């Protein structure tokens, strides 16, 4: 670690690679709620967070595990299609709560073009929340729907042993990976219709 009379020890959360305080300051000064998208090896978490004097307050939240529990998702909860659907779900919840604008908060994550964070952002955008972004950072529709996975599964199907090994978890859930795009569209429609139904009931 650097030493010297002019050296200032970084804040603990910066040392732990949890918070970029310079970026956070700019986000807070925007006075917009923050769209916080975080990923683990197996799951995606998307939240709308508002900074208050007493600390951050989570306005709405969605986790990819909800896709399986509530909407019948049978694919992986940590891939690009799941990230999009989680963002889509969070976006509808945000709109229902009255939040229609936000700013993306990536924390210390590296901005990987077409990655899971930007797939979640695309889901939030499609749900009706306005978030400043660059279009070329968003994943292609084929990646969002999982078509690239379905195509790869089709190529691998000629090798049953490799196919079974690669897609064993999907198969154990009852989903053939070649059908992922259709399954994605079905779950997306379930999310959309569930909120449209709530809107009609509230009239």
């Amino acid at each position: 670690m650097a030493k010297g009379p002019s050296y200032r020890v970084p804040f603990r959360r910066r040392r732990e690679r949890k918070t970029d305080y310079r970026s956070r300051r700019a986000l807070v000064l925007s006075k917009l709620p923050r769209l916080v998208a975080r990923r683990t090896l197996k799951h995606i978490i998307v939240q709308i967070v508002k900074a208050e004097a007493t600390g951050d307050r989570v306005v709405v939240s969605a986790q990819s595990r909800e896709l399986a529990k509530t909407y019948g998702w049978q694919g992986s909860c940590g891939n690009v299609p799941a990230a999009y659907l989680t963002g889509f779900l969070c976006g509808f919840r945000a709109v229902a709560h009255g939040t229609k604008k936000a700013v993306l908060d990536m924390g210390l994550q590296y901005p990987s073009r077409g990655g899971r964070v930007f797939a979640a952002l695309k889901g939030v955008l499609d749900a009706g929340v306005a978030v400043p972004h660059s279009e070329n950072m968003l994943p292609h529709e084929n990646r969002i729907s999982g078509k690239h996975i379905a195509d790869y599964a089709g190529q691998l199907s000629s090798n049953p042993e490799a196919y079974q090994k690669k897609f064993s978890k999907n198969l154990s859930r009852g989903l053939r990976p070649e059908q992922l795009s259709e399954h994605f569209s079905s779950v997306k429609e379930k999310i959309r219709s569930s909120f449209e139904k709530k809107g009609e009931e509230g009239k």
Side-chain angles (χ1 to χ4, degrees):
M1 178 180 287
K3 297 179 181 179
S6 62
Y7 178 73
R8 185 167 55 186
V9 177
F11 291 125
R12 175 180 59 81
R13 289 185 62 86
R14 176 62 186 182
R15 296 198 307 271
E16 294 175 351
R17 294 190 57 78
K18 292 181 178 179
T19 302
D20 181 341
Y21 285 96
R22 183 176 297 178
S23 174
R24 177 180 170 81
R25 181 176 184 272
L27 292 171
V28 171
L29 289 176
S30 73
K31 297 183 179 180
L32 289 173
R34 305 194 322 274
L35 168 61
V36 179
R38 298 291 184 266
R39 52 188 173 81
T40 68
L41 290 175
K42 296 183 178 181
H43 295 285
I44 309 294
I45 303 167
V46 184
Q47 299 174 322
I48 299 293
V49 178
K50 189 173 182 180
E52 297 181 345
T54 55
D56 286 350
R57 177 173 63 87
V58 177
V59 179
V60 293
S61 177
Q63 297 188 25
S64 56
R65 68 184 64 181
E66 294 181 68
L67 301 176
K69 291 182 179 179
T70 308
Y71 298 98
W73 175 248
Q74 295 176 315
S76 166
C77 287
N79 59 13
V80 170
Y84 173 90
L85 292 172
T86 305
F88 196 59
L89 176 58
C90 185
F92 271 110
R93 286 177 176 169
V95 172
H97 192 274
T99 300
K100 297 183 179 180
K101 292 183 179 180
V103 60
L104 180 62
D105 179 354
M106 292 189 61
L108 293 172
Q109 298 176 91
Y110 182 79
S112 176
R113 179 180 298 178
R116 289 179 288 173
V117 170
F118 290 104
L121 168 61
K122 175 62 174 170
V124 172
L125 291 168
D126 287 353
V129 180
V131 183
H133 66 283
S134 173
E135 286 289 334
N136 65 0
M137 295 299 289
L138 301 178
H140 190 274
E141 187 63 36
N142 286 344
R143 284 186 58 80
I144 287 174
S145 67
K147 188 176 183 302
H148 64 298
I149 298 174
D151 290 345
Y152 176 60
Q155 295 171 12
L156 205 61
S157 61
S158 59
N159 186 338
E161 184 178 347
Y163 177 89
Q164 179 67 34
K165 183 178 180 180
K166 186 70 175 179
F167 297 106
S168 59
K169 291 184 178 179
N170 291 68
L171 295 170
S172 67
R173 299 187 192 107
L175 175 67
R176 294 190 63 81
E178 298 92 330
Q179 301 171 338
L180 182 59
S181 294
E182 292 79 5
H183 180 58
F184 167 88
S185 298
S186 174
V187 173
K188 180 180 177 181
E189 187 54 38
K190 284 182 182 178
I191 294 173
R192 186 196 306 277
S193 62
S194 69
F195 282 90
E196 289 177 348
K197 184 177 180 181
K198 288 178 183 178
E200 290 175 358
E201 290 175 350
K203 291 180 181 179

